[in-house]
Structures are given as C-alpha cells and as structure tokens.
Amino acid sequence: MANATDHLWMHFTRMASYSAGEVPTIVRGEGAYVWDAQGRRYLDGLAGLFVVNAGHGRTELAEAAAKQAGELAYFPLWSYAHPTAVELAERISSLTPGDLNRVFFTTGGSEAVEAAWKLARAYFKRVGKPTKHKVVSRYIAYHGTSMGALSITGLPGIKTDFEPLVPGGIKVPNTNFYRAPEHGDDPVAFGRWAADEIGRAIEREGPDTVAAVFLEPVQNSGGCFPPPPGYFERVREICDAYDVLLVSDEVICSWGRLGEYFGAVRYGYQPDIITTAKGITSGYAPLGAMIASDRLMEPFLTETGMFAHGVTFGGHPVSCAVALANLEVFAREDLVGHVRANEGAFRSTLEKLHDLPIVGDVRGDGYFYGIELVKDKTTRETFDEAESERLLRGFLSTALFDAGLYCRADDRGDPVVQLAPPLIAGQQQFDEIEQILRTVLTEAWSRL
C-alpha cells in the first residue's frame, strides 16, 4: 500500500528501505500460508513471529472472540475477576510443571518478563532479603524491549539508543555448542561449563544481590541454541544453592513449539516462574502471562499484602476467550503430539542442506530451527559485518520472500536463517522450505 510509508511506523524496520518501493502487505492467511495484496502466496515459515501455532484462518477462534465481545468486551483484573480469566488460569495451571499455579496475565512477552523481574524483587524484599535484585541472563538472548526486559536482553545493538537501562543485568555465556571448539565433541562438558558460568557470575556479584536467572529453553537470538545435556539440571542446582529464582522465559518455547506445552517439560527442569505469550492465543488476540509457583505468592497473602503491579489490558476477556478456544484446538487435534511425531522429519529435511558450502550448522528442536551460514565449513569462519549486511539484508531476506518463503534471516549473533512454522505443518511444508532454501542459498553462495 502506497500510504504505508507515510503514516505507519513499523517495528524493527529500516523505514528508508521502502522509500523507493511499496511495503509488502499481507492481507490473508490460511493454514500454513499467507497471501499479499497482489495475491501472491507465501509459506509462513516463522508462524508470523513464532506466534500462529494453530495456523491461520481458524474461524472458531474468531468466533470465540466475537462471542466474548458480545457478552463482556472488557473488565479489568484489578480487584475483580471475570469468568474467562478464571477458567484460563485454571487451565494453564493444569499444564504447568510442579506447583506453578499462580497466573498473572499481561498483554505480551515483554510485559511478562517485566512482571517476573518485579515479582522476584518484591518477593525477596518480603522474605527479608531486600538486597537481592539483580538478574543473570545470556549473551545475545532476547527477552523483550521494555526497559526492564531490555536490561535482561543480551543484544547490544538494540540497547544503545535507550541507555542507561535498569541496573542489575548480568550476562553469561550462551549454549552455542557450534561456537565452542574448546570443548571438542563433548556437549556434556560444555553444558556443565556454561551452567557453572552462571554460578561464577552469582559469586562475582555476591549471592545476596542476585534475585533471578532468566533463560529460554531454546535460546532464540543467535539462531536456536538448544540446551546441552545436563545443563538445566545443573542450573537448577546452582539456583537452589544461592537462593536464586529460575525463570524459564517461554514466550516462544511454550504452547507446542518444542513438542510440549512448556519447554521446561521438554528438558525436564522445574522453574520458579514461567513467562509466556505468543502461541497462547496463536496470535488471534494479544495475551501473555507470568506463571509463578505457590511459594512466591505466599508473602502476598497477608491481610495487607499486594503485588503492586498491573496492566490495563492484562487478561482481557476477549483474549482469554480466544486462548481457551485455542487450547481446545490443541487438544482436539493433538498439535503438541503432531510436533513430537514430525520433528524428526523436519530436522532430517533441513539437514539435507548440509551439502551446501554456505551451511555450517543446523540446530534446534521441535518446530524451532536455526541454520547458521558460514564462509568456510572447515574452519567455521563467519562473515564480517559488511559481508553479513550484503548477504542478509542485501539479498537473502528479499530473495527468500520473493521465492515464496517468509522466515527470518538474522545476524544478531552469527548469520542465521530461522524457521518456526505453524504446528500444523507437515512433510509437504518441510520439503517446500528445504527446496526454497536450497535454491536461494545456492545463489547466495554464488554471489559471495
């Protein structure tokens, strides 16, 4: 649309890049595909933004929204409840691991992360440890864009314009085994080292100052870093030893993305808090949540106790109704089981790309994969900043889209292509993704 550049300020977008052309405008979706204003079809290889887990065009979710809006379009959760929030909180608590039974609704992921950090600080004040306020997170990890969440985020490039940030953010190594040659072919040793770096960071800062560790089950930024064997087991031990809360940031990794409702279940660890959003409604309405253990609620159950935090649209009745309908779709079609049954086929299809000289690593789990691009497969040499700019923004992003695949070409770490299709995808879509990537990556190599 010609007027998109005149009035619409798009997120994380170089607006000048559209000064000489039209903004791509998506007008319709069905299943694993979307269509633009010119009628061209694209495979949605990123589920919108790791969001549309149940797929596009689900009329029952739209109908659930309309029905709820006709009954009660809005009422706040500030000292009052409404039925859809109550029912959804109960439903979520039945799916979470352990005693994570307390659901605090937000409108998205950044807000959920903010709420989790605020809860960690407030909790420790109430149990007599008021100096515990800092947060440990990993290099290159993305945890959101609000000022607190941005302080937890480990991406310097998106933080500079907004500094100084909230103090107390501490960074430790991530779990990119491909870039850990000193550990050879021993992922267990690497995982132990990476986990122990969290303990060393807590010791350096002083255990009496650290409130929480924020980790994604599979780290998104950098290109889908799964945890090495034993990693989360060791992190849990460290958090327990220093009385630090373990926050599992599952804004992406929950709701079937990794073949379980929650990534913590996939990897067998017990967090104190889970943050979630995105796939909880499959994107049909905005909703997020911070899910806390019963013990974290206890200090706020005194006669005058209150967690002094809230957002106007957190737990919106329409969004909660959509989430409930979304979970009905998950249960009826066993979407989580579908991911478990097909993740091996997705992996093996993507691994065919290893024969291309530009493909260094294929990594991920479930329906969440990153393909790291390299200049030299033997040495694992990566691209410099100028080369990455030409490769990703100068060619790959546009070429993949023009070829009919919407995905993410990203260089917030080393250059990667990220894939996270709707959970309804199957072999037909896997093959389509592989064929488009093969064609476009082959051309990209020829241009280098």
Side-chain angles (χ1 to χ4, degrees):
M1 293 183 176
N3 60 352
T5 56
D6 296 332
H7 306 290
L8 180 62
W9 199 332
M10 290 173 286
H11 299 202
F12 281 107
T13 299
R14 296 181 180 183
M15 297 297 292
S17 63
Y18 295 115
S19 59
E22 288 194 5
V23 176
T25 304
I26 303 302
V27 299
R28 183 169 70 88
E30 185 67 35
Y33 299 89
V34 294
W35 283 259
D36 68 13
Q38 283 71 45
R40 293 186 293 258
R41 190 186 79 164
Y42 306 88
L43 174 56
D44 184 356
L46 206 65
L49 195 60
F50 316 102
V51 171
V52 191
N53 289 8
H56 298 276
R58 293 279 189 174
T59 56
E60 61 264 55
L61 302 190
E63 289 166 357
K67 182 176 183 292
Q68 180 59 48
E71 293 175 358
L72 179 67
Y74 175 75
F75 208 79
L77 293 178
W78 301 44
S79 302
Y80 299 90
H82 54 74
T84 53
V86 173
E87 184 179 352
L88 180 59
E90 182 180 16
R91 182 72 176 273
I92 291 171
S93 68
S94 74
L95 299 171
T96 51
D99 67 341
L100 273 69
N101 297 315
R102 304 293 184 162
V103 182
F104 184 96
F105 287 115
T106 65
T107 61
S110 291
E111 285 181 356
V113 170
E114 291 279 343
W117 193 1
K118 291 180 78 172
L119 176 59
R121 288 182 167 205
Y123 169 78
F124 281 117
K125 281 184 170 59
R126 280 161 175 74
V127 297
K129 298 183 177 182
T131 60
K132 291 175 79 72
H133 67 279
K134 298 175 185 176
V135 166
V136 176
S137 59
R138 296 184 289 205
Y139 293 128
I140 315 177
Y142 178 89
H143 292 282
T145 54
S146 53
M147 293 300 278
L150 192 59
S151 301
I152 300 172
T153 289
L155 293 163
I158 67 170
K159 300 164 74 166
T160 306
D161 282 348
F162 313 109
E163 292 174 330
L165 299 174
V166 179
I170 306 155
K171 302 299 175 287
V172 296
N174 57 48
T175 59
N176 184 1
F177 186 58
Y178 183 69
R179 292 293 172 187
E182 68 272 17
H183 294 281
D185 59 354
D186 189 347
V188 174
F190 171 63
R192 177 73 181 215
W193 170 82
D196 283 345
E197 282 296 296
I198 294 173
R200 284 187 275 271
I202 292 171
E203 283 284 356
R204 286 193 301 270
E205 296 294 324
D208 60 342
T209 71
V210 180
V213 174
F214 277 68
L215 303 173
E216 298 163 275
V218 173
Q219 182 174 318
N220 171 36
S221 290
C224 300
F225 305 146
Y231 174 78
F232 274 110
E233 180 181 5
R234 178 59 181 151
V235 171
R236 180 71 267 180
E237 291 175 354
I238 290 167
C239 288
D240 289 342
Y242 292 112
D243 193 17
V244 170
L245 304 183
L246 175 55
V247 181
S248 189
D249 185 355
E250 306 207 16
V251 171
I252 290 175
C253 292
S254 50
W255 311 114
R257 180 55 55 194
L258 299 177
E260 295 286 352
Y261 278 102
F262 293 97
V265 175
R266 168 76 188 240
Y267 299 118
Y269 64 94
Q270 180 60 53
D272 300 294
I273 299 173
I274 287 176
T275 55
T276 186
K278 293 187 185 287
I280 190 172
T281 65
S282 287
Y284 286 72
L287 186 67
M290 174 193 69
I291 313 164
S293 70
D294 287 329
R295 76 180 179 95
L296 298 184
M297 174 70 118
E298 287 175 6
F300 301 94
L301 294 177
T302 62
E303 186 174 343
T304 59
M306 178 181 66
F307 180 41
H309 179 56
V311 288
T312 299
F313 292 112
H316 192 285
V318 173
S319 296
C320 289
V322 171
L324 287 165
N326 182 53
L327 292 180
E328 286 300 316
V329 171
F330 269 65
R332 184 176 70 243
E333 300 181 13
D334 190 19
L335 293 183
V336 174
H338 178 78
V339 173
R340 286 199 301 269
N342 289 279
E343 65 174 342
F346 189 32
R347 177 189 290 272
S348 63
T349 303
L350 294 178
E351 286 179 340
K352 293 178 182 179
L353 297 168
H354 270 306
D355 66 346
L356 299 179
I358 197 173
V359 173
D361 194 26
V362 177
R363 55 181 178 252
D365 275 323
Y367 275 24
F368 190 31
Y369 274 84
I371 299 171
E372 183 168 333
L373 309 179
V374 294
K375 289 194 333 187
D376 188 307
K377 290 170 74 84
T378 302
T379 65
R380 303 185 182 183
E381 181 183 1
T382 191
F383 299 90
D384 63 32
E385 188 174 345
E387 291 168 334
S388 182
E389 175 75 16
R390 290 196 303 272
L391 173 67
L392 296 182
R393 294 175 186 83
F395 176 69
L396 273 183
S397 292
T398 300
L400 287 168
F401 191 67
D402 288 345
L405 176 61
Y406 167 71
C407 59
R408 170 180 275 177
D410 191 17
D411 63 350
R412 290 180 293 180
D414 295 300
V416 295
V417 174
Q418 280 188 287
L419 299 154
L423 308 188
I424 59 171
Q427 191 61 51
Q428 176 184 337
Q429 287 74 39
F430 305 158
D431 289 339
E432 190 174 343
I433 288 170
E434 190 271 339
Q435 289 159 15
I436 293 173
L437 284 171
R438 177 172 296 277
T439 299
V440 174
L441 290 176
T442 298
E443 184 177 350
W445 181 254
S446 71
R447 288 168 173 254
L448 293 174

